[in-house]
Amino acid sequence: MAPSFADLKQKATQAKNVGLKQYASARDRVSASSSAPRSTPPPPPPARSSSNASSAKRPVPSTPPLAPPPARTTRSDISSPSNVVEAGGDGDADRIDWTNLTLEDKLVFFSWLDEFFAKYLNIPIPPRSPLGTSVPSASPSPKVAAPLTPPRRVQPPAHVQEHDQYEHASTPPPSARNLPPSLSSRQSSVQSSNPPPPPRSIPPPSRGPPRINLSTKPSGDSVTTSSQDDFQLSYPPPTTHGSAALDTVHYFRPDTQWDTAWYTSDISIPPPLQNSPNIRWAGSSETSWRGKSTSGCILFSDLSICWYTVSWPSGATSPMDSRVKRSAQYLPCPTPLSGDALFAAYSTYAESIASYAESFVGTGRYCASGECWDMANEALKHVAALIPSAAPIPSIARTHGHLIYSGTVGRGRWRGGDDRIRRGDIVEWRTVRINLRNGYALLGDPDHTAVVTADLVPLRPVSDGAFLSPADVGGALEVVEQSVGNPPKKTSYELSGMVHGEVWVYRPIGMRTYLGLEFGAAQVPKGVKTFSL
């Protein structure tokens, strides 16, 4: 068994005493024989041990001897790691087993080294911790802000899962109502009688080659694509030239064939847009001695805007007559806003919109005709009446302001600089199925609208253009909703349980703030810079 450092120290002390005695005895013999004639050479000095104290000093003329190291001030049980001669002087040496040192021996050894270099280099060395590392002097630690913690994900309340059990086919058809053009009935249904289908772990396969997942650490069923152009949902309708307004401007080119004199009617909407639910239109007409003219302004669901004018003399009856003059100007789709601008819109409109929707909950009364879309449309009209000088963008088909988020199963994109969905936002669902604890919810036949009543922070940090799936948004989205046969109610849906369909979230925002003008004039407002072909 290898000796400990304590044993070696005791032996080193004994060896030192023996060395001193041997040195004194040799010095006496040399002194006694210095006066007598030498017949034999003096005996050699005793064997040098590794301890400095036990070494006999041999005079070397050219080099002065090294001074001994300073006395150690360590504990009494600290021993030297060097080889020592036992007190008996029998020459047997105990060697340290360096491969099997205990933690205590290592601490003793390194504390000796620290002490030596501290005195040799004249620098302070802090004491060592029990783990053998130097303990730094106390200093204030840098303050680090705690990361934002998303709200706890909760299950939908029981009433979402257990009441209003009906099939779409069993819902009686709605009676005739005064609705926006081409807006069909919408509803949401919750079914609890059948067990939910097994949850999807990956999105369903798509046509063509599989998409490449470029994310290094995907969350849930999120997919990151290489180009923003790869992401396209079913709404708003696709365009040919980048915006619906620019497509319309191309219709007014001189070389575009017109088959009818549509501009002569009272509602002079271009034929490609007649009966479209995706527009808001305003128009005017004039008659003078030169002839007639008609002008119109169209606000599209992608929030691009087109102004047009057609003029013709009284004798021009053919739409392709060279005397029929046509012109058009446009504004492209607005760009995403900063977080400050979106938060300002929230501060202006959100509470009025959310409170308006909540005022119907529990009363048994429907908002307007009872359609889900009416809740959002009427809330925006209510706010416009409260703040006429800063009226929000009205509902245009499925658009209700600044788009915050859009996504489908496994894919989605954040838009704008805000970091969360907020109270007062408006959500649109299209043929969505969400798995619940005891069933599933079907939202949209094909579309369903609701007003958000509580903030929802995504599970991942977001920024404008960031790709994240509904599962990455996660959490319970609390809303007020209604549908035909179902009075307004407050409920919540876990976005992580979405297994089919599409979702959009909009931030109500002022027309002038986002589009730079007020809607309603058939002519381009003064000061508005437009584009043309």
Side-chain angles (χ1 to χ4, degrees):
M1 176 178 176
S4 67
F5 274 99
D7 296 336
L8 293 179
K9 180 182 178 184
Q10 182 179 4
K11 293 179 181 181
T13 303
Q14 295 174 355
K16 178 187 73 172
N17 295 334
V18 172
L20 290 175
K21 290 179 181 180
Q22 291 176 350
Y23 173 76
S25 176
R27 184 185 59 186
D28 294 340
R29 287 197 301 270
V30 171
S31 300
S33 60
S34 61
S35 59
R38 296 182 179 178
S39 57
T40 58
R48 186 186 301 269
S49 69
S50 60
S51 173
N52 292 332
S54 64
S55 300
K57 297 182 180 179
R58 177 176 296 180
V60 180
S62 59
T63 305
L66 294 174
R72 304 192 184 279
T73 58
T74 55
R75 300 176 305 177
S76 60
D77 59 345
I78 297 178
S79 56
S80 170
S82 57
N83 299 333
V84 297
V85 179
E86 292 193 22
D90 55 2
D92 293 333
D94 291 321
R95 297 184 180 276
I96 297 175
D97 185 3
W98 293 100
T99 61
N100 296 306
L101 291 179
T102 64
L103 177 61
E104 182 181 3
D105 289 341
K106 293 178 182 178
L107 293 176
V108 170
F109 176 68
F110 283 103
S111 65
W112 278 14
L113 292 177
D114 292 342
E115 178 186 355
F116 171 75
F117 284 105
K119 293 184 178 180
Y120 184 76
L121 301 175
N122 194 26
I123 58 174
I125 297 180
R128 290 185 173 267
S129 68
L131 296 179
T133 57
S134 299
V135 179
S137 58
S139 61
S141 58
K143 296 180 180 181
V144 180
L148 283 174
T149 303
R152 183 176 299 175
R153 300 170 66 178
V154 298
Q155 293 293 336
H159 69 273
V160 174
Q161 305 169 6
E162 297 178 356
H163 84 304
D164 293 335
Q165 303 177 17
Y166 55 88
E167 297 288 339
H168 289 299
S170 63
T171 303
S175 58
R177 297 180 177 90
N178 183 17
L179 300 177
S182 299
L183 289 176
S184 58
S185 61
R186 294 107 189 166
Q187 62 186 9
S188 67
S189 64
V190 179
Q191 301 179 351
S192 304
S193 58
N194 298 326
R200 287 182 179 177
S201 58
I202 57 174
S206 60
R207 297 181 180 178
R211 295 186 180 275
I212 299 176
N213 187 350
L214 300 181
S215 59
T216 58
K217 188 178 180 181
S219 174
D221 51 4
S222 63
V223 176
T224 302
T225 58
S226 59
S227 171
Q228 293 186 1
D229 295 336
D230 294 340
F231 182 74
Q232 180 68 44
L233 297 183
S234 63
Y235 180 86
T239 61
T240 303
H241 301 95
S243 70
L246 185 52
D247 286 357
T248 303
V249 170
H250 277 268
Y251 177 77
F252 283 85
R253 289 171 49 123
D255 57 352
T256 302
Q257 180 68 34
W258 287 3
D259 297 327
T260 63
W262 57 269
Y263 45 85
T264 61
S265 62
D266 294 336
I267 306 298
S268 55
I269 298 176
L273 302 176
Q274 292 176 5
N275 300 321
S276 171
N278 298 304
I279 66 171
R280 289 248 177 179
W281 175 85
S284 65
S285 61
E286 294 182 2
T287 301
S288 67
W289 64 270
R290 294 181 180 179
K292 297 182 178 180
S293 66
T294 184
S295 300
C297 175
I298 302 176
L299 175 60
F300 294 89
S301 58
D302 63 0
L303 299 185
S304 61
I305 307 175
C306 174
W307 291 269
Y308 62 88
T309 298
V310 181
S311 59
W312 66 98
S314 57
T317 58
S318 171
M320 299 305 295
D321 191 316
S322 60
R323 294 176 296 172
V324 177
K325 305 299 181 182
R326 53 177 95 165
S327 63
Q329 307 168 67
Y330 77 101
L331 286 177
C333 303
T335 58
L337 295 182
S338 66
D340 291 341
L342 290 173
F343 183 80
Y346 155 78
S347 302
T348 303
Y349 305 105
E351 188 57 38
S352 298
I353 291 173
S355 298
Y356 178 84
E358 289 173 332
S359 67
F360 290 91
V361 176
T363 65
R365 296 184 295 107
Y366 288 97
C367 176
S369 64
E371 297 287 346
C372 60
W373 185 85
D374 291 334
M375 184 68 74
N377 181 52
E378 295 298 323
L380 291 172
K381 290 167 60 177
H382 169 73
V383 174
L386 294 176
I387 320 174
S389 61
I393 295 173
S395 295
I396 311 169
R398 297 296 157 183
T399 299
H400 308 280
H402 185 295
L403 181 64
I404 295 294
Y405 174 74
S406 60
T408 185
V409 178
R411 305 182 65 197
R413 181 189 294 154
W414 196 264
R415 194 169 186 270
D418 205 351
D419 65 346
R420 68 195 65 191
I421 298 170
R422 296 187 182 271
R423 173 178 168 87
D425 289 350
I426 297 173
V427 58
E428 283 285 344
W429 315 90
R430 175 163 289 179
T431 61
V432 167
R433 174 169 173 153
I434 294 180
N435 286 340
L436 306 176
R437 180 183 300 176
N438 298 318
Y440 59 92
L442 299 177
L443 305 174
D445 185 23
D447 299 300
H448 182 60
T449 312
V451 175
V452 179
T453 56
D455 290 5
L456 175 59
V457 180
L459 302 181
R460 287 172 42 191
V462 295
S463 60
D464 180 39
F467 285 87
L468 68 163
S469 69
D472 294 322
V473 177
L477 186 64
E478 182 183 287
V479 299
V480 169
E481 61 181 357
Q482 69 175 10
S483 60
V484 176
N486 293 275
K489 62 182 179 182
K490 180 176 288 189
T491 185
S492 61
Y493 298 104
E494 285 277 354
L495 293 181
S496 60
M498 180 174 165
V499 295
H500 186 271
E502 299 168 304
V503 60
W504 297 262
V505 180
Y506 293 92
R507 173 70 45 82
I509 191 169
M511 279 279 300
R512 186 172 296 278
T513 299
Y514 196 27
L515 304 182
L517 51 87
E518 297 291 341
F519 178 74
Q523 304 288 341
V524 178
K526 292 182 179 180
V528 176
K529 182 180 179 181
T530 61
F531 303 89
S532 60
L533 295 179

